[in-house]
Amino acid sequence: MCGATKTAVILAAFFVLLPRPSTSQAKIEESARVLFDLANQERTSRGIPSLKWDASLAEAARTHALRMAQENTLSHEFPGEPDLPTREKQAGAKMSGAAENIALGPSSAVIHNGWMNSPPHRHNLLDPQLNSIGIAVVQRGGSLFAVEDFSRALAALSLTEQEQQVEVPIRAAGLTIRPDNTDARRVCGGGHPGGPQPMFIGRFSSIDLNALPDSIEHAVQSGHYVAAEVGACAKPSVDGLSQYHIAVLLY
């Protein structure tokens, strides 16, 4: 019996053993390690980047696995328990998406095989948009309660590094990048330009800075502009999900 959920499109592990003299802590830790190794074997065999081990996600998984073992049932959210993105955020994860696999079974191998034979669980395991994972295994009686918490973790880029990444395709299109981006940062935060008025203003939020939104890409490639100003800003996350926030001014 297993369950999966996905709220959008994080890896360290924290493993817990409920008191049971016949089972060692090392065995429980090995069960979670096996799940991690099997997940990445599935991905690398298909050319999908491996998941990174994230401690914050593992803490979120540990908390939920303990709750399932205490309730002796499977659920993605128990009464009074925060939803998955909130649990991951409270554990310290910074991410743009969240997904979760849960299961109850006799061993890691059986649990993993069950997930791979279930379309929603398989999707989470093989989703190339997810790049981090935390795993927890808790024992109750002769069964293992397992939780895999996934996310797409954003790279920890400074505002300047974000701006430099967005400037690459703009510069490649032949536009000059204005050295003073005070106006662009102001616009990104919801303000207005204080200097010369740009002919085009574009704002976007994204988890990927390697590609410009279509509207901005079209404007950059139109030939109507000769210079650009790029500004990044920090904004509160929505529902625990993080994004980059950028403004592009064209002159």
Side-chain angles (χ1 to χ4, degrees), residues 117-133:
N117 285 297
S118 167
H121 301 88
R122 179 186 177 93
H123 177 80
N124 288 342
L125 282 161
L126 301 181
D127 188 345
Q129 295 301 311
L130 299 172
N131 59 18
S132 301
I133 188 172

Side-chain angles (χ1 to χ4, degrees), residues 82-123:
D83 61 15
L84 175 61
T86 302
R87 293 199 306 267
E88 293 188 357
K89 181 181 179 182
Q90 289 176 343
K94 297 183 183 299
M95 73 288 182
S96 62
E100 182 174 78
N101 285 347
I102 60 175
L104 172 64
S107 69
S108 293
V110 171
I111 289 171
H112 176 77
N113 288 336
W115 282 335
M116 287 301 294
N117 285 297
S118 167
H121 301 88
R122 179 186 177 93
H123 177 80

Side-chain angles (χ1 to χ4, degrees), residues 36-69:
F36 174 55
D37 291 341
L38 289 172
N40 278 333
Q41 287 172 19
E42 300 286 2
R43 291 170 72 94
T44 56
S45 68
R46 295 166 174 81
I48 304 170
S50 296
L51 293 162
K52 296 179 181 178
W53 195 260
D54 184 279
S56 298
L57 285 181
E59 172 63 17
R62 180 194 71 87
T63 300
H64 190 62
L66 274 172
R67 181 68 183 271
M68 290 197 305

